[in-house]
């Protein structure tokens, strides 16, 4: 009998069809059906497919006594309680590597859009304002000082791309990395002070919550810019808004937010901010590869084989 799977976030249509061919798939219950779900479906659920920004709450886990695996369609696992997974004995997987290039590409794209003021330039042309004068000068991207917070797979891919811009690259991690030529800084504040552009690419965890705070932003300074393609929780959003409004940093390129999809109106109102709706991995190619890896982890688990990409 096929295992019962709870699908909390969407996959590409082809992968959802493949999931339904392999398993009995259930979707979250509507308000009026929750009682029936808890009584009839929840006790049978052996696997959960969820997104990195969705995760699974402990209250839902408590309703799933037969849970064996949580397969995350994403690289981040900060929305899944790993300690609870270890205690309960269910596995957690994610989809690393396959989204690295797309997320790194977006980080560089946000940097370029911000430095060259491309969003404002687009609006300038569309509004017919070019007929009345030249667009204001922007800031060059080449030859600048780039600081990367977190030098994992994505951080390294960002650094490799930035090498082509002929700038200085530095990074901050818990401990120095031995196989890179970049300058190391022990604290984020030190990294920010040595950077023109600070790019956030670290994992989200309780220890990294609001690691980019007022002190870091002040160290970045009035000509510095922030790019965040990691998780919104790493940046103190209120401190960032204040720094942008007061001109204590020059701008920000953001793909992630603390309470997404809710974006503070103050950020929306600012012209020195480039906003994206958490689309770091949002290409057809990468989402397809991510979905395939979700299926591969589920297939391996229920066949009693080693998981391709286990977290716990």
């Amino acid at each position: 009998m096929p295992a019962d799977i709870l699908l909390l976030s969407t996959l590409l249509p082809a992968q959802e069809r493949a999931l339904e061919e392999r398993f009995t798939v259930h979707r979250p219950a509507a308000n009026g059906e929750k009682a029936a779900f808890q009584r009839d479906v929840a006790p049978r659920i052996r696997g959960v497919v969820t997104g990195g920004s969705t995760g699974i709450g402990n209250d839902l886990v408590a309703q799933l006594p037969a849970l064996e695996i949580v397969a995350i369609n994403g690289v981040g696992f900060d929305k899944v309680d790993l300690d609870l997974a270890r205690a309960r004995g269910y596995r957690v997987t994610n989809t690393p590597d396959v989204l690295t290039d797309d997320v790194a590409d977006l980080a560089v794209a946000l940097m370029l859009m911000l430095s060259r003021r491309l969003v404002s330039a687009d609006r300038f042309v569309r509004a017919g304002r070019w007929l009345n004068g030249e667009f204001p000068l922007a800031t060059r991207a080449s030859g600048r000082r780039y600081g990367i917070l977190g030098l994992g797979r994505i951080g390294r891919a960002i650094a490799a791309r930035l090498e082509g811009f002929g700038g200085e690259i530095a990074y901050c991690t818990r401990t120095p990395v031995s196989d890179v030529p970049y300058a190391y800084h022990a604290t984020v504040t030190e990294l920010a002070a040595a950077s023109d552009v600070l790019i956030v690419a670290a994992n989200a965890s309780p220890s990294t919550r609001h690691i980019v705070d007022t002190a870091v932003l002040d160290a970045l300074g009035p000509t510095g810019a922030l790019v965040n393609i990691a998780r919104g929780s790493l940046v103190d959003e209120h401190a960032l808004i204040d720094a942008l409004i007061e001109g204590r940093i020059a701008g920000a390129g953001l793909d992630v937010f603390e309470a997404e999809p809710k974006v503070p109106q103050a950020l929306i109102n600012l012209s020195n901010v480039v906003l994206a709706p958490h689309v770091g991995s949002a290409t057809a190619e990468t989402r397809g590869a991510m979905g395939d890896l979700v299926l591969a982890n589920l297939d391996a688990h229920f066949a009693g084989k080693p998981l391709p990409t286990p977290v716990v």
Side-chain angles (χ1 to χ4, degrees):
M1 180 178 294
D4 288 81
I5 301 292
L6 179 61
L7 181 61
L8 297 182
S9 65
T10 59
L11 303 175
L12 292 182
Q15 269 124 14
E16 289 202 12
R17 287 194 296 271
L19 190 71
E20 290 169 345
E21 289 170 358
R22 292 165 163 83
F23 307 104
T24 301
V25 177
H26 306 270
R27 289 168 174 79
N31 287 336
E33 302 170 347
K34 286 186 176 181
F37 173 85
Q38 293 174 6
R39 182 187 67 245
D40 302 328
V41 177
R44 306 201 312 268
I45 297 295
R46 297 173 62 192
V48 171
V49 174
T50 188
S53 59
T54 303
I56 181 170
N58 290 354
D59 55 343
L60 178 55
V61 171
Q63 300 174 33
L64 309 177
L67 183 61
E68 299 175 20
I69 183 171
V70 174
I72 302 170
N73 185 36
V75 68
F77 45 80
D78 52 297
K79 297 293 181 67
V80 176
D81 189 334
L82 300 185
D83 290 333
L84 179 61
R86 295 185 185 97
R88 280 271 306 266
Y90 56 86
R91 306 301 303 275
V92 178
T93 64
N94 66 347
T95 59
D97 294 323
V98 294
L99 51 68
T100 296
D101 285 335
D102 278 350
V103 178
D105 288 347
L106 184 68
V108 175
L110 288 172
M111 178 275 292
L112 286 169
M113 293 173 72
L114 191 60
S115 298
R116 298 304 302 270
R117 303 183 61 187
L118 292 179
V119 174
S120 295
D122 177 85
R123 292 171 179 163
F124 184 85
V125 173
R126 292 177 188 275
R129 293 165 58 197
W130 194 10
L131 298 170
N132 301 318
E134 296 295 321
F135 185 71
L137 297 178
T139 301
R140 68 165 48 182
S142 300
R144 303 190 78 189
R145 301 176 302 162
Y146 293 101
I148 304 174
L149 172 57
L151 206 66
R153 295 179 181 91
I154 293 173
R156 285 172 179 260
I158 293 169
R161 285 155 173 74
L162 292 175
E163 287 179 3
F165 287 86
E168 299 177 13
I169 300 174
Y171 72 98
C172 176
T173 54
R174 289 189 182 92
T175 57
V177 179
S178 61
D179 61 345
V180 297
Y182 317 128
Y184 172 73
H185 294 275
T187 71
V188 187
T189 305
E190 292 174 3
L191 178 66
S195 303
D196 297 312
V197 180
L198 178 63
I199 301 174
V200 182
N203 290 329
S205 69
S207 65
T208 59
R209 177 173 171 77
H210 289 183
I211 195 170
V212 177
D213 56 13
T214 297
V216 171
L217 296 169
D218 285 343
L220 188 57
T223 62
L226 177 76
V227 172
N228 188 6
I229 47 76
R231 280 288 190 267
S233 63
L234 277 76
V235 176
D236 183 336
E237 216 162 68
H238 294 295
L240 174 61
I241 291 169
D242 289 343
L244 289 164
I245 291 174
E246 295 166 10
R248 290 187 284 112
I249 68 170
L254 307 171
D255 185 44
V256 289
F257 306 88
E258 285 205 74
E260 59 187 50
K262 296 179 181 178
V263 177
Q265 188 63 42
L267 286 175
I268 294 172
N269 293 342
L270 289 168
S271 62
N272 58 340
V273 178
V274 177
L275 306 173
H278 202 152
V279 292
S281 65
T283 67
E285 297 86 352
T286 287
R287 289 292 171 86
M290 290 166 62
D292 287 344
L293 194 46
V294 167
L295 290 167
N297 277 297
L298 291 171
D299 287 342
H301 171 76
F302 290 110
K305 297 179 180 179
L307 300 176
T309 53
V311 177
V312 297

